[in-house]
Amino acid sequence: MASVPKPSTAGQGTTATITTRSNYVNIRTGPGTEYTDIGDILNGSTVVYYPGSKTASGWVWVEQQSLVGWISTGVVTFTEVSTPPSGGNTTPTPYDGQIGMWHWKGQAIPENTIEEFIANMKRRAPNVKQIWVKVGDGNSWQGNFDNDPDMAVNGPADVDRWVQALSRNGLEFHAWCVLKGVDIAGEADIIAKTCQRPGVKSMILDVEPYDGYWEAGSGPIRPLMTNVRQQIGSSFHIGLGVDPRRVHYNSVYPAEWLPFINSVHTMSYWTTFRRPVDDVIDETYAVWGNYGRPIIPILQGTAPASEQEQAFNRVTQRYGAKAVSWWRYGVINTFDSVNKPIVIDTTPTVPGSDDQPLPGTEFGIQNLIKVGQDDYRSGTYTGRQEFTTIQGTYGWNFAYKSTVERSSTVWAEWKTDLPASGMYQIAVFVPSTHATTRRARYKIHGIRGTTTEVVVDINQSKYHDEWVPLGIFDLVKGAPNAGKVFLNDVTGESDKEIAFDAVRLRQVLAVTNPPPTTGGGTGPDVINGVYVADGFDSPVGTDAERRGSQVWPSGWRDASPYAKLYFIGTPQEAYHTGADLNWGAAGNSDIGQPVYSSASGVVVYQQTLNPWGNLTIIKHDPLKVTSGHKYYTRFGHMQNVTVKVGDRVKRGQKIGEIGTGGGRFIAHLHFDVVRTTVLDTKPGDWPGKDLNRLLIHYVDPKEFIRQNRP
């Protein structure tokens, strides 16, 4: 029989423990024993059940991670669990905006006293405001494994000493311990006694699937954490420390911990794993990103400085981490990245964050169709399995395959019931990998006034984890195939890959094209509900000068032109990626001169990055037309920057001032124009003497602006 999905009337789910008449209960594809048995729910385990889904015959919809379906209430009872608030990365934590430093034991660091440790910590990384101190291992206080006379934690009195010493120096005490699950009462006692001491801000539970860590399976988790919560209450913040790799996910029983913990601390140790930084960070968020608790990444202090910088930027810029911590004091060689402050962007973001609400556009109901859902269908013309399906950056699956020149081998369609007739914006999501075709031919069906499909060609290779609007269409509810999107693998190419990812239909309640907002252009900068850059201007000079005939205004010179060797004969010899813009006499005479956005777009990076000093990157709107190319600009060495990540900027908007890169350089503006997505993952990218790579990614900024004036 066909599966019966969760009913729309199911309402809010409730976290509960399940009690069965035997060791387990069957979960089925529908509300009855005639439906297929798809798995077992163990007695005493934690589930989310939906009371509003209960049928007349007593079946309810139940979810336990990826296992979802129907269970008979005739053979089970549910006991509700007091659950910390969820909300993913939007839920506040005690770590927000802060940097944490892990401390293992006094024996493992060169300092002899707590005060000496604090003094050196503040000197090396003054932006670190939280110290995470190990207090226990299993049912033993950490002092049993640390014979340091001043720093060992042997009980509540030592916790108080640490709290007081840190507090005197403006630092917070956060505790952590290793759990084993062997002595529930003993382990709960150490956790509770620590959390009950004044000044202890949080507790992180280190649960890893290795010898010497959690040894007891899933059974002890609920009684242990129920014991803890009964002693310390539901409001105290408890984090869960985990190895974030997919292969270890199920071995720490995440569903059992979920009702009791408030955050997840992921040990993203790329050096230990012998894998690239981005690979490990991306897997971290792919595996844990939908768990429903904020992720506070733990970054590897033993890694090279450049990789530390890369990891910090990846988790904060791409994934919006509100806090990070570093493992651990005593092994870190350089503190440059450790000392980087966290800047929290409060602007709401979604995958493809540059796809923001448009001025004059009001959206209503949204339908999001992902690969594998009921409103998505696909097939092959060959009788063979042609698609490869993998998980994307944001946790959902997408499919891909090689392109073909003439005769299609696969098809896919996205079709949903419309809530009402009217105007709809249809957009497709293009993932960051396996999307290299330059001609994905999306076909939209059922548009009012047409009897044929409308074809929209998308160059997938230009996009990187972002929503790409196909346009706004007038659709009729109930009409055959209204709003259906169809895609096959015919692109006229034999050596590319085409991605089949999510499609989104947004009901458009109002669309007005406002007057142009980009300085000096004739606009409009919104066309059919899509932001468009009307051209590029110089990033320096007065408003009148930027509108003038000279690309670089009078008085400005380019000290290091594009693609020219500079610092010849020194270790820094390299081909220059852009322009070094100076004004006035020699020296720092141009310090403080205003810097402007060259075109409309969204700020995607804004940080201090060695050796650049302050670095700002803007991803610009498609040039001239909705399907135009998206360029990036990079601004180096600025001071008094007035924008942050997620800000939408217009052409001619001031974004900062010319600076000296923190005193590293004579005052000037380093300005790049980039044609690829290289800055998405490498904001400090520098090809050096690799001229071919420079020419692939960077364009001559002066010539580019000359050819693309508004």
Side-chain angles (χ1 to χ4, degrees):
M1 298 180 68
S3 298
V4 179
K6 180 172 65 178
S8 60
T9 57
Q12 184 68 33
T14 300
T15 302
T17 56
I18 191 168
T19 303
T20 72
R21 292 181 180 178
S22 60
N23 291 330
Y24 62 88
V25 63
N26 301 135
I27 186 168
R28 297 181 179 273
T29 59
T33 55
E34 67 272 25
Y35 288 90
T36 304
D37 175 0
I38 56 174
D40 301 323
I41 302 291
L42 297 179
N43 181 43
S45 61
T46 304
V47 300
V48 176
Y49 84 106
Y50 291 78
S53 69
K54 190 173 181 179
T55 66
S57 57
W59 289 76
V60 295
W61 181 268
V62 171
E63 299 174 349
Q64 189 180 69
Q65 296 301 108
S66 60
L67 186 61
V68 298
W70 296 88
I71 285 179
S72 172
T73 57
V75 294
V76 301
T77 56
F78 299 99
T79 303
E80 293 188 16
V81 176
S82 176
T83 307
S86 61
N89 286 331
T90 64
T91 305
T93 76
Y95 319 107
D96 290 356
Q98 302 297 330
I99 306 161
M101 176 60 66
W102 292 75
H103 169 68
W104 177 31
K105 57 184 179 180
Q107 287 177 263
I109 65 176
E111 290 80 6
N112 296 313
T113 66
I114 296 175
E115 293 289 354
E116 185 183 354
F117 160 72
I118 291 172
N120 286 339
M121 184 72 258
K122 292 182 68 175
R123 175 176 58 83
R124 289 166 173 155
N127 284 321
V128 172
K129 301 298 183 184
Q130 298 183 341
I131 307 300
W132 299 3
V133 179
K134 187 176 182 184
V135 297
D137 198 296
N139 59 3
S140 300
W141 289 95
Q142 177 65 0
N144 287 349
F145 312 97
D146 184 4
N147 59 17
D148 186 283
D150 187 71
M151 286 184 265
V153 176
N154 293 290
D158 290 324
V159 172
D160 290 343
R161 285 194 309 108
W162 268 98
V163 169
Q164 292 160 11
L166 291 171
S167 180
R168 287 194 298 268
N169 290 275
L171 301 174
E172 294 180 357
F173 179 96
H174 295 258
W176 67 281
C177 65
V178 169
L179 290 186
K180 299 185 177 180
V182 176
D183 178 3
I184 292 174
E187 295 182 43
D189 183 64
I190 289 176
I191 296 170
K193 285 180 176 177
T194 299
C195 298
Q196 290 166 346
R197 301 312 303 160
V200 176
K201 303 297 185 180
S202 74
M203 169 67 76
I204 298 102
L205 309 177
D206 184 350
V207 179
E208 301 178 54
Y210 310 117
D211 291 342
Y213 290 86
W214 189 262
E215 305 172 9
S218 62
I221 296 174
R222 181 166 57 91
L224 168 66
M225 295 309 298
T226 300
N227 185 331
V228 169
R229 282 298 183 189
Q230 286 174 344
Q231 294 188 68
I232 69 173
S234 60
S235 61
F236 191 91
H237 192 100
I238 296 180
L240 183 70
V242 297
D243 181 328
R245 290 175 288 182
R246 184 174 286 103
V247 68
H248 295 304
Y249 183 80
N250 291 326
S251 59
V252 297
Y253 315 104
E256 299 297 313
W257 294 103
L258 181 63
F260 305 100
I261 60 103
N262 307 84
S263 57
V264 177
H265 302 256
T266 51
M267 305 169 193
S268 302
Y269 300 158
W270 61 91
T271 299
T272 300
F273 302 159
R274 298 183 180 180
R275 290 169 55 191
V277 173
D278 290 354
D279 186 27
V280 171
I281 299 299
D282 291 348
E283 183 179 14
T284 293
Y285 281 87
V287 173
W288 288 91
N290 291 327
Y291 184 61
R293 297 293 182 265
I295 294 176
I296 313 297
I298 311 172
L299 304 181
Q300 189 150 22
T302 55
S306 61
E307 294 181 2
Q308 291 180 351
E309 183 84 18
Q310 184 179 350
F312 181 92
N313 293 336
R314 189 77 166 179
V315 299
T316 57
Q317 296 292 328
R318 178 162 189 171
Y319 292 106
K322 295 182 178 180
V324 300
S325 65
W326 292 90
W327 176 265
R328 62 179 169 79
Y329 191 84
V331 299
I332 298 173
N333 295 319
T334 175
F335 284 81
D336 286 349
S337 295
V338 173
N339 192 46
K340 289 188 67 172
I342 296 286
V343 179
I344 296 180
D345 175 21
T346 58
T347 305
T349 59
V350 295
S353 59
D354 60 330
D355 182 38
Q356 300 175 347
L358 306 173
T361 303
E362 181 183 353
F363 291 116
I365 295 173
Q366 170 177 299
N367 285 337
L368 181 63
I369 309 170
K370 300 175 182 175
V371 171
Q373 293 182 336
D374 290 342
D375 290 338
Y376 171 84
R377 296 174 61 243
S378 64
T380 73
Y381 300 116
T382 64
R384 300 187 301 270
Q385 175 58 262
E386 301 282 355
F387 290 105
T388 299
T389 302
I390 62 172
Q391 190 174 67
T393 299
Y394 296 101
W396 67 70
N397 288 342
F398 72 92
Y400 71 92
K401 73 170 300 291
S402 300
T403 57
V404 295
E405 292 186 74
R406 295 182 181 85
S407 181
S408 60
T409 63
V410 303
W411 60 270
E413 67 177 32
W414 298 257
K415 181 178 180 295
T416 186
D417 292 332
L418 301 175
S421 299
M423 305 297 290
Y424 287 83
Q425 183 199 60
I426 300 179
V428 297
F429 193 80
V430 179
S432 59
T433 59
H434 302 293
T436 57
T437 176
R438 297 179 179 275
R439 193 167 178 258
R441 309 195 75 228
Y442 293 91
K443 302 174 182 179
I444 300 97
H445 293 253
I447 301 170
R448 188 194 298 268
T450 67
T451 57
T452 61
E453 62 197 18
V454 172
V455 181
V456 180
D457 287 356
I458 295 295
N459 182 349
Q460 289 188 346
S461 69
K462 294 184 353 181
Y463 301 102
H464 183 86
D465 278 342
E466 56 190 301
W467 288 103
V468 182
L470 301 183
I472 294 178
F473 305 94
D474 190 359
L475 306 177
V476 180
K477 176 178 172 62
N481 294 323
K484 182 179 81 172
V485 178
F486 181 91
L487 180 66
N488 61 31
D489 52 347
V490 174
T491 68
E493 305 156 313
S494 61
D495 59 346
K496 305 295 183 184
E497 289 182 320
I498 184 169
F500 300 76
D501 207 321
V503 168
R504 184 187 65 198
L505 286 82
R506 292 199 293 190
Q507 188 180 28
V508 180
L509 303 181
V511 178
T512 56
N513 281 337
T517 57
T518 47
T522 57
D525 60 350
V526 177
I527 300 175
N528 291 333
V530 179
Y531 280 113
V532 172
D534 67 345
F536 280 72
D537 269 346
S538 166
V540 294
T542 66
D543 183 59
E545 288 172 337
R546 295 196 306 278
R547 297 187 197 186
S549 59
Q550 292 182 234
V551 174
W552 304 144
S554 178
W556 290 89
R557 65 186 183 280
D558 182 358
S560 301
Y562 168 78
K564 300 297 184 183
L565 270 178
Y566 77 139
F567 290 138
I568 297 173
T570 73
Q572 289 76 41
E573 181 175 294
Y575 290 100
H576 202 241
T577 56
D580 278 348
L581 297 175
N582 291 107
W583 178 84
N588 292 333
S589 59
D590 51 357
I591 195 167
Q593 287 274 11
V595 177
Y596 305 96
S597 176
S598 288
S600 62
V602 174
V603 179
V604 295
Y605 185 90
Q606 209 301 295
Q607 287 282 352
T608 298
L609 179 65
N610 290 335
W612 295 82
N614 210 300
L615 192 67
T616 303
I617 298 173
I618 298 173
K619 182 178 183 179
H620 294 288
D621 300 323
L623 182 59
K624 305 280 187 176
V625 294
T626 57
S627 60
H629 194 81
K630 290 186 178 182
Y631 290 87
Y632 294 67
T633 52
R634 179 169 61 176
F635 303 79
H637 323 322
M638 286 197 297
Q639 65 182 23
N640 297 328
V641 177
T642 57
V643 294
K644 64 182 184 301
V645 171
D647 281 354
R648 169 157 285 282
V649 296
K650 59 185 179 180
R651 178 169 55 81
Q653 176 180 331
K654 181 180 176 181
I655 61 173
E657 300 173 352
I658 287 180
T660 61
R664 294 182 178 88
F665 307 98
I666 294 175
H668 72 279
L669 174 69
H670 178 95
F671 176 66
D672 291 321
V673 178
V674 184
R675 71 168 105 231
T676 70
T677 60
V678 65
L679 299 184
D680 276 339
T681 55
K682 298 178 181 178
D685 181 65
W686 194 249
K689 296 178 71 173
D690 188 343
L691 180 59
N692 184 59
R693 195 166 79 81
L694 181 145
L695 296 175
I696 289 172
H697 297 296
Y698 299 84
V699 300
D700 184 337
K702 186 175 183 179
E703 188 58 32
F704 174 80
I705 293 174
R706 189 192 313 279
Q707 295 175 3
N708 293 285
R709 304 298 290 274

